[in-house]
Amino acid sequence: LDLFRPRQGRTVTWYTCGPTVYDACHMGHARAYLTFDILRRIMEDYFHFDLLYQLNITDVDDKIILRARQNKLMADYQSETQDLATVQADVEVAMAALHQKLQQKVKDLQEALPPDTPSKQVLQRQEELETATFKLDQFTTGSVQAVQELKASGNTTIADWMTASHDALAAHLDALRGSTVTDPQIYQDHARKFEREFWQDMTALGVKEPDVVTRVTEYVPQITEYIQGIIDNGFAYASDSGSVYFDTAKFKGAGYDYRKLKPGEEISAAEMAEGEGALAGGSSTE
């Protein structure tokens, strides 16, 4: 164990990565921020450190852009489309497309790995397959069944069909019209709504407010400059898609530990896709 020694007397500065505010909070958020709150109170109230606690809000991100855009497209579609038969036809196409995508994901993950694949990668593949299978089953027993029930019913509304097929129809409309949503206020409003809900949830849980709150959108020039510095130092590079990647090989070659909290463990394909972002479609091979 290492003895904890603040750099400046009893003053401790603490940065916490806050939520990406694209949707409502879940139990994972509650667990994380309650844990941080307990540790913070121990340091302040028991050890009597002078703590400066900062929390960052990620208020611009692929997930935020995608969710806000899809919500806008769904709202416009509902207000503009008055013909039930048109909605039913669109739902059929959307459901088929999403079903095929989920089935293909499972099929791809079922492909055998080379015999010399490390055990950790085999385990990661199995976990990814279980997740993909769960999502396919959830779609089949949820949306697909709900749409089938609507087909069997003789008295349905446009709202019924849109609700039953929401995720599939939203993805379908986004593929067709996503590029038409260009008003940045849509994304800002979406992020602010779920940030407000986050703070309300934290208050309900009794979590202390941070001393400082920062948001990604408030520091974009500084972030860009910081990333450029990493590129200039030779530890990152820009791909053809415009994304910037950290060069883990060069970093480790310079004598540093990569994934300091998980030494020796390579990053998985799922983690790479998460880092690349939802709008990249998981197409990156970097």
Side-chain angles (χ1 to χ4, degrees), residues 135-169:
K135 289 182 178 180
L136 176 59
D137 292 343
Q138 190 178 46
F139 177 72
T140 302
T141 58
S143 296
V144 172
Q145 184 174 336
V147 169
Q148 289 175 342
E149 290 174 356
L150 290 177
K151 290 180 182 179
S153 174
N155 184 22
T156 61
T157 66
I158 289 176
D160 292 333
W161 283 81
M162 291 187 64
T163 299
S165 64
H166 182 277
D167 290 351
L169 185 58

Coordinates of all heavy atoms in Angstrom, one line a residue, residues 135-169:
K135 N -30.0 -9.1 -26.6 CA -30.7 -8.0 -27.3 C -31.6 -8.5 -28.4 O -32.7 -7.9 -28.7 CB -29.6 -7.0 -27.9 CG -28.9 -6.2 -26.9 CD -27.9 -5.3 -27.6 CE -27.2 -4.4 -26.5 NZ -26.2 -3.5 -27.1
L136 N -31.2 -9.6 -29.1 CA -32.0 -10.2 -30.2 C -33.3 -10.8 -29.5 O -34.4 -10.6 -30.1 CB -31.2 -11.2 -30.9 CG -32.0 -12.0 -32.0 CD1 -32.6 -11.1 -33.0 CD2 -31.1 -13.1 -32.6
D137 N -33.1 -11.5 -28.5 CA -34.3 -12.1 -27.8 C -35.2 -11.0 -27.2 O -36.4 -11.1 -27.3 CB -33.8 -13.0 -26.6 CG -33.1 -14.2 -27.1 OD1 -33.2 -14.6 -28.3 OD2 -32.4 -14.8 -26.3
Q138 N -34.6 -10.0 -26.7 CA -35.4 -8.8 -26.2 C -36.3 -8.2 -27.3 O -37.4 -7.9 -27.1 CB -34.5 -7.8 -25.5 CG -35.2 -6.7 -24.7 CD -34.2 -5.8 -24.0 OE1 -33.3 -5.4 -24.6 NE2 -34.5 -5.5 -22.8
F139 N -35.6 -8.0 -28.4 CA -36.3 -7.4 -29.6 C -37.5 -8.3 -30.1 O -38.6 -7.9 -30.4 CB -35.3 -7.2 -30.7 CG -35.9 -6.6 -32.0 CD1 -36.4 -5.3 -32.0 CD2 -36.1 -7.4 -33.1 CE1 -37.0 -4.8 -33.2 CE2 -36.6 -6.9 -34.3 CZ -37.1 -5.6 -34.3
T140 N -37.2 -9.6 -30.1 CA -38.1 -10.6 -30.6 C -39.4 -10.7 -29.7 O -40.5 -10.8 -30.2 CB -37.5 -12.0 -30.8 OG1 -36.4 -11.9 -31.7 CG2 -38.5 -13.0 -31.4
T141 N -39.1 -10.8 -28.4 CA -40.2 -10.9 -27.4 C -40.9 -9.6 -27.1 O -41.9 -9.6 -26.5 CB -39.7 -11.6 -26.1 OG1 -38.6 -10.8 -25.6 CG2 -39.2 -13.0 -26.4
G142 N -40.2 -8.5 -27.4 CA -40.8 -7.2 -27.1 C -41.4 -6.6 -28.4 O -42.6 -6.7 -28.6
S143 N -40.6 -5.9 -29.2 CA -41.1 -5.1 -30.3 C -41.8 -6.0 -31.3 O -42.9 -5.7 -31.8 CB -40.0 -4.3 -31.0 OG -39.5 -3.4 -30.1
V144 N -41.2 -7.1 -31.7 CA -41.8 -8.0 -32.7 C -43.1 -8.5 -32.3 O -44.1 -8.5 -33.0 CB -40.8 -9.2 -33.0 CG1 -41.5 -10.2 -34.0 CG2 -39.5 -8.6 -33.7
Q145 N -43.2 -9.0 -31.1 CA -44.5 -9.5 -30.5 C -45.5 -8.4 -30.5 O -46.7 -8.6 -30.8 CB -44.3 -10.1 -29.2 CG -45.5 -10.7 -28.6 CD -45.3 -11.5 -27.3 OE1 -44.1 -11.9 -27.0 NE2 -46.3 -11.6 -26.5
A146 N -45.1 -7.2 -30.0 CA -46.0 -6.0 -29.9 C -46.6 -5.7 -31.3 O -47.8 -5.4 -31.4 CB -45.3 -4.8 -29.3
V147 N -45.8 -5.7 -32.3 CA -46.2 -5.4 -33.7 C -47.2 -6.4 -34.2 O -48.2 -6.2 -34.8 CB -45.0 -5.2 -34.6 CG1 -45.5 -5.1 -36.1 CG2 -44.3 -3.9 -34.3
Q148 N -46.9 -7.7 -33.9 CA -47.7 -8.8 -34.3 C -49.1 -8.7 -33.6 O -50.1 -9.0 -34.3 CB -47.1 -10.1 -33.9 CG -45.9 -10.5 -34.8 CD -45.2 -11.7 -34.4 OE1 -45.3 -12.2 -33.3 NE2 -44.3 -12.3 -35.3
E149 N -49.1 -8.3 -32.4 CA -50.4 -8.1 -31.7 C -51.2 -6.9 -32.3 O -52.5 -7.0 -32.4 CB -50.2 -7.8 -30.2 CG -49.6 -9.0 -29.5 CD -49.3 -8.7 -28.1 OE1 -49.3 -7.5 -27.7 OE2 -48.9 -9.6 -27.3
L150 N -50.5 -5.9 -32.8 CA -51.2 -4.8 -33.5 C -51.8 -5.3 -34.8 O -52.9 -4.9 -35.1 CB -50.2 -3.6 -33.7 CG -49.8 -2.9 -32.5 CD1 -48.8 -1.8 -32.9 CD2 -51.0 -2.2 -31.8
K151 N -51.1 -6.1 -35.5 CA -51.6 -6.6 -36.8 C -52.9 -7.4 -36.5 O -53.8 -7.4 -37.4 CB -50.5 -7.5 -37.4 CG -49.3 -6.8 -38.0 CD -48.4 -7.8 -38.6 CE -47.1 -7.1 -39.1 NZ -46.1 -8.1 -39.7
A152 N -52.9 -8.2 -35.4 CA -54.1 -9.0 -35.1 C -55.3 -8.2 -34.6 O -56.4 -8.7 -34.7 CB -53.7 -10.1 -34.1
S153 N -55.0 -7.0 -34.2 CA -56.1 -6.1 -33.7 C -56.7 -5.3 -34.8 O -56.0 -4.9 -35.8 CB -55.5 -5.2 -32.6 OG -56.5 -4.3 -32.2
G154 N -58.0 -5.1 -34.7 CA -58.6 -4.3 -35.8 C -58.8 -2.8 -35.5 O -59.3 -2.1 -36.3
N155 N -58.3 -2.4 -34.3 CA -58.5 -1.0 -33.9 C -57.2 -0.5 -33.3 O -57.0 -0.6 -32.1 CB -59.7 -1.0 -32.9 CG -60.0 0.5 -32.5 OD1 -59.7 1.4 -33.2 ND2 -60.6 0.6 -31.3
T156 N -56.4 0.1 -34.2 CA -55.1 0.6 -33.7 C -54.9 2.0 -34.3 O -55.6 2.5 -35.2 CB -53.9 -0.3 -34.2 OG1 -53.9 -0.3 -35.7 CG2 -54.0 -1.7 -33.7
T157 N -54.0 2.7 -33.6 CA -53.7 4.1 -34.0 C -52.2 4.2 -34.5 O -51.4 3.3 -34.3 CB -53.9 5.1 -32.9 OG1 -52.9 4.8 -31.8 CG2 -55.3 4.9 -32.3
I158 N -51.9 5.4 -35.1 CA -50.5 5.6 -35.5 C -49.6 5.6 -34.3 O -48.5 5.1 -34.4 CB -50.4 7.0 -36.3 CG1 -51.1 6.9 -37.6 CG2 -49.0 7.4 -36.4 CD1 -51.2 8.2 -38.4
A159 N -50.1 6.2 -33.2 CA -49.3 6.2 -32.0 C -49.0 4.8 -31.5 O -47.9 4.5 -31.0 CB -50.0 7.0 -30.9
D160 N -49.9 3.9 -31.6 CA -49.7 2.5 -31.2 C -48.6 1.9 -32.0 O -47.7 1.2 -31.4 CB -51.0 1.7 -31.4 CG -52.1 2.1 -30.5 OD1 -51.9 2.6 -29.4 OD2 -53.3 1.9 -30.9
W161 N -48.6 2.1 -33.3 CA -47.5 1.5 -34.1 C -46.2 2.1 -33.9 O -45.2 1.4 -33.9 CB -47.9 1.6 -35.6 CG -49.0 0.6 -36.0 CD1 -50.3 0.7 -35.8 CD2 -48.8 -0.6 -36.6 NE1 -51.0 -0.4 -36.2 CE2 -50.1 -1.2 -36.8 CE3 -47.7 -1.3 -37.1 CZ2 -50.3 -2.5 -37.4 CZ3 -47.8 -2.6 -37.7 CH2 -49.1 -3.1 -37.8
M162 N -46.2 3.4 -33.6 CA -44.9 4.1 -33.4 C -44.3 3.6 -32.0 O -43.1 3.5 -31.9 CB -45.1 5.6 -33.4 CG -45.3 6.1 -34.8 SD -45.4 7.9 -34.9 CE -43.7 8.3 -34.5
T163 N -45.2 3.5 -31.0 CA -44.7 3.0 -29.7 C -44.1 1.6 -29.8 O -43.1 1.3 -29.2 CB -45.8 3.1 -28.7 OG1 -46.3 4.5 -28.6 CG2 -45.4 2.7 -27.3
A164 N -44.9 0.7 -30.4 CA -44.4 -0.7 -30.5 C -43.1 -0.9 -31.2 O -42.3 -1.8 -30.9 CB -45.5 -1.5 -31.2
S165 N -42.9 0.0 -32.2 CA -41.7 -0.2 -33.1 C -40.7 0.9 -32.8 O -39.8 1.2 -33.7 CB -42.1 -0.2 -34.5 OG -42.7 1.1 -34.9
H166 N -40.7 1.6 -31.7 CA -40.0 2.8 -31.5 C -38.5 2.8 -31.9 O -38.1 3.6 -32.8 CB -40.1 3.3 -30.1 CG -39.4 4.6 -29.8 ND1 -38.0 4.7 -29.6 CD2 -39.9 5.9 -29.8 CE1 -37.7 6.0 -29.4 NE2 -38.8 6.7 -29.5
D167 N -37.7 1.9 -31.4 CA -36.3 1.8 -31.6 C -36.0 1.5 -33.1 O -35.1 2.1 -33.7 CB -35.6 0.7 -30.8 CG -35.6 1.1 -29.3 OD1 -35.9 2.3 -29.0 OD2 -35.3 0.3 -28.5
A168 N -36.8 0.6 -33.7 CA -36.6 0.2 -35.1 C -36.9 1.4 -36.0 O -36.2 1.7 -36.9 CB -37.4 -1.0 -35.4
L169 N -38.1 2.0 -35.7 CA -38.5 3.1 -36.6 C -37.6 4.3 -36.5 O -37.3 5.0 -37.5 CB -40.0 3.5 -36.2 CG -40.7 4.5 -37.1 CD1 -40.7 4.1 -38.6 CD2 -42.1 4.8 -36.7

